[in-house]
Amino acid sequence: MAEETPESSGTSLLHNSAATASKPRHFLKDVVFHGKFQLLNSLAPEENTQCQHGLYFQDGERRVDYILTYHIKKPSSSRSNRQSSRFTDNAFTRSLRRGTARLGRPPPPQPRGVPEVASQDHSMDYHEDDKRYRREEFEGNLRDMGLELEKDEDTKTPGVGFVKIHAPWHVLCREAEFMKLKMPTKKVYEVKQCSGVGAKINTLVNKATEPLHPNVEENRAQNVKHLSYAFSREKQHLFDLSDRDSFFDSKTRASIVFEVLKRTKCTKAKYSMGITSLLGSGVYTAAYPLHDGDVDGENVEPNDRKLLYEEWASYSVFYKYQPIGLVRKYFGEKIGLYFAWLGLYTQMLIPASVVGVIVFLYGCATVDNNIPSMEICHPRNNITMCPLCDRACNYWKLKEACGTARASHLFDNPATVFFSIFMALWAAMFMEHWKRRQMRLNYEWDLTGFEEEEDHPRAEYELCVMQKSLKKEHKTQKTEKEKLTCRDRLPAYMTNIVMMLLMIGVTFAIVFGVILYRISITAALHMSNNPTTRSNVRLMVKTTAAIINLVVILILDEVYGAVARWLTVLEVPKTDKSFEERLIFKTFILKFVNAFTPIIYIAFFRGRLVGRPGSYLYVFESYRMEECAHGGCLMELCIQLSITMLGKQLIQNNLFEIGIPKLKKLIRYIKSKRRSFQEEEREKKLQRYETDHFLEPFAGLTPEYMEMIIQFGFVTLFVASFPLAPLFALLNNIIEIRLDAKKFVAELRRPVAARAKDIGIWYNLLRGVAKVAVIINAFVISFTSDFIPRLVYQYMYSPDGSMHGFVNHTMSYFNVSDFQDGKEPMDPHHLGYQVEMCRYKDYREPPWSNTPYVVSKEFWAVLAARLAFVIVFQNVVMLMSDIVDWLIPDIPKDISLQIHKEKILMVELFMKEEQGKMQFIDSMTPCDGKERNNHAPIARSRSIPHTHSHTHANNF
């Protein structure tokens, strides 16, 4: 018998030829064992090392492109029986089982024992056999598609079997053509650099920022670029195929295999099942591509993953730019675009943070010169204020609000108006800058002209359609599982209605509960005998209520995420893209309302539905609605906004993403510290696919984007009340980038690379938030702050055009004899004298006028000015944003020229190829003058466009 090569031996083990299958079982065992022994002996030391790393098949040549895992039920027999079962489970025995199943014969008899145990074992064996049959059929279909498989059940990971998948060259070429993958050709052209003043500025900037660039090849500016073209098997001569192993990198190979997996179906089941359904039903437990290698340790070979860990995922390089080119090369365009967007957003936060800090410092510098706060804090100020609650609260002096008034000026000053306008323009510039950055990346990553094709229908959608067709054709009664799938399918408008009702009911119920907490706690603390407690009631209530709101928001975030997925599943969208977009929209709406409803209540409703002394508004006829402090609700809005923003960032980002994994690792260490040596030895022996199996699965980019979009809302929506929001967002994002990088490189399984030319629906959400931010900031400045009342007083009512007398102008009088029975203070002599008149903040007529306690004309003047300011501010800012949008082109000029140049060079390349073909045809034809004359015009006519395109190309 001829000696087998390693490749043929491995193939014989994989496919189990018919000749071998026809032999007796003991002969089959000997042949297989001899083949394996011969295969292992034929491996070179380098190949054997690669096999041990788990990146290659047993032959050491075929690379593992993808991994499928499944559960193994270990029998209680001896090791020899397990080996025998493994070696004899070939094509012959599988076909024998299929034939037995088709003939309706019962399975082999099971050993008898206790009836209950035997029944349970028989049921479990039936399910395991069903899964095994489906796996065999699916893997057979994968082989029919051209993929090569190799199983490994004898691993260090108990109960888990691995299917290693390799895509040979002809499959890679076929699928690359189907997917229209753009690959670099042999044609190289020079990238035109900027000239003139712009080039000199760019050169200076590049030299100044050179220490900030990561030390990776992909991030360096290239003077030449390969012309890219969609791969075609007929035009392989255009591409450099000298090294076929590296022509398709590991990221591309994995995405090609994943595309084949999505198209392959398991059809012998009751319903057609794809890879998603097989994973969901437990036939397979996981599917993932492999990482390139280890990130740390001794004698780790250089690889892209290690380079990413050192130059991107380390906190020591937080000040450097991200190696976006290497990120795209390793993880794909979709993840690369996310990190490029996050990096640009973080860079744009730097000027916003600087301006915000300047605005805050301006407030600190001018607080001592603020006339309204000076009047409130003046020692001779003897204004008596009305009680803040019924019975338990006493009269108080206005100068007691000195600290609140001074603190409010830090955020309520003329500079905040400028900052609101600046942030609106900043948001517009950020969106335009991102569009330009996105176009540049599309050009560099060869995504120009890329259009996403319609995705494959989801398994759930196909199942529902099939059930409906079966019902119409056969009119059979649906099973219980079918009822749960199709009967509960709801149209999109129904799920949106359910979402709105849930959002309104739950969120507003929580807000109302916090309002009741504020009211009751305020009354209880005013009854305290401790003078320190009574003097700090407002601060304690504000802080504790904000913390409660934060805890509720964090809890509801998780609940709303599950609810949004449940509602989206009920809709049964057709494609994965449609499912993702609907899920993102629902999750965003629910989490956005959850995060900002308490803030919106404080900004626009608190203190406006109060009433007046003697006629307050009550909840449940017992709880009096709460008022704002004399300095307004802006200070409380700032407290609520800062606690919510910082709490979400610190708890969700740091605790959930850093603390919990560290805690799990600590628990594992404590449990295994007695066997640490054995654990280290075991880790050293794990294959690459086993190591990756213990990593967390990739859950998509939705949580990462959602976190940043909500933060973008905090930065833009209420920035007039909290100028330091961009600074805190910047500090968080510096950590967030490296935290996400480390998570993707070292803690998650490698995601399947996905092509994308933009960030999708997230860009529309960003634009929506930026538009809403203009309106909300206009209302915050107009209605929440005292900016408009100050302007109205200064230019309409002030005797000398200054702010002197503004505090007295904004307060009305109340005769204490007009209190309702049982609502007056219990201690009317608390201040040491009998109070006859108290003051409260409002524009109302005094009690001695003909229309006591009716809103005054000053109220209507201020209201008109506020509404006018909202209209003017909104239109002016949006007009300025549109001007910024119009002035900044979406496509950089140099990129536009390079794209045009690529098109001309591509035409030139094909015209040269066509001309070469015609010359070859002419050389093969007989040298007859008549035929030459017939061919000459064709050659001349075809050479004219080539000359024309060549002239255009030289212009570049």
Side-chain angles (χ1 to χ4, degrees), residues 106-110:
Q110 302 293 333

Side-chain angles (χ1 to χ4, degrees), residues 385-396:
M385 303 298 294
C386 296
L388 298 175
C389 63
D390 296 337
R391 300 294 292 170
C393 300
N394 296 312
Y395 302 107
W396 56 286

Side-chain angles (χ1 to χ4, degrees), residues 211-239:
L212 304 180
H213 290 278
N215 188 24
V216 296
E217 188 68 28
E218 284 76 7
N219 239 56
R220 294 169 186 167
Q222 302 292 334
N223 295 326
V224 295
K225 186 177 185 294
H226 284 270
L227 191 64
S228 296
Y229 183 69
F231 187 83
S232 173
R233 287 172 289 182
E234 295 180 355
K235 299 184 181 299
Q236 292 191 29
H237 58 277
L238 297 178
F239 307 95

